[in-house]
Amino acid sequence: MTEGLSGMLSGLLGGKGDSLIQAALQMFQESGAKEGGLAALLQQFIVAGLGDKADSWVGTGQNQALSGDEVEQALGSDKVAELAQKAGVSQDEAKNGMAEALPEVVDKVTPEGKLPDLGSLQDMLGKLLSGAK
């Protein structure tokens, strides 16, 4: 599971995808303790009017595409800026890279069409994080 995803993620942004994904997954893991992790992240997309897209990533059907502007709409420019700084990329690279990666990452950590419990999610994200290096 993680090998194919890691390859795709590390190919983002002409090789800069590794640092972006590592920063995003670290923020994801950190938010798990504070804000509910994946559920809270998906809730941000629902609140931003992108619930159909978020549901498609969790579900077992086709993933709906996401744009960089939609990532910024859901997460806010402050989170995008923080992610860009941690990853050492521009804000445009961060939001566009997340737009490409987020549907795949969520799809991979929800293979049965439902959100995993926090412990399982942290294990899966840990594997993704170590595989993306």
Side-chain angles (χ1 to χ4, degrees):
M1 169 181 93
T2 61
E3 289 177 11
L5 182 60
S6 295
M8 185 276 298
L9 296 177
S10 64
L12 286 173
L13 305 174
K16 294 181 184 175
D18 279 352
S19 58
L20 173 64
I21 296 308
Q22 288 177 27
L25 291 177
Q26 286 169 347
M27 284 176 61
F28 206 12
Q29 286 176 314
E30 290 166 5
S31 72
K34 297 181 216 166
E35 302 164 6
L38 182 58
L41 177 69
L42 294 175
Q43 184 63 32
Q44 290 179 285
F45 283 88
I46 292 167
V47 169
L50 302 167
D52 288 345
K53 290 187 180 201
D55 288 344
S56 77
W57 312 330
V58 174
T60 57
Q62 184 73 22
N63 291 337
Q64 290 185 27
L66 185 65
S67 74
D69 289 340
E70 289 171 327
V71 169
E72 189 167 33
Q73 174 186 338
L75 301 182
S77 57
D78 290 348
K79 281 285 188 196
V80 172
E82 179 184 348
L83 181 60
Q85 181 194 24
K86 287 183 177 185
V89 298
S90 72
Q91 285 187 249
D92 281 342
E93 289 173 318
K95 69 183 185 179
N96 292 329
M98 287 301 296
E100 186 175 340
L102 191 59
E104 292 296 320
V105 171
V106 172
D107 184 60
K108 294 296 183 195
V109 299
T110 59
E112 297 174 7
K114 60 183 180 179
L115 296 176
D117 63 46
L118 184 58
S120 297
L121 177 62
Q122 288 176 333
D123 288 345
M124 285 186 268
L125 291 175
K127 288 177 185 173
L128 287 174
L129 184 58
S130 64
K133 288 183 180 176

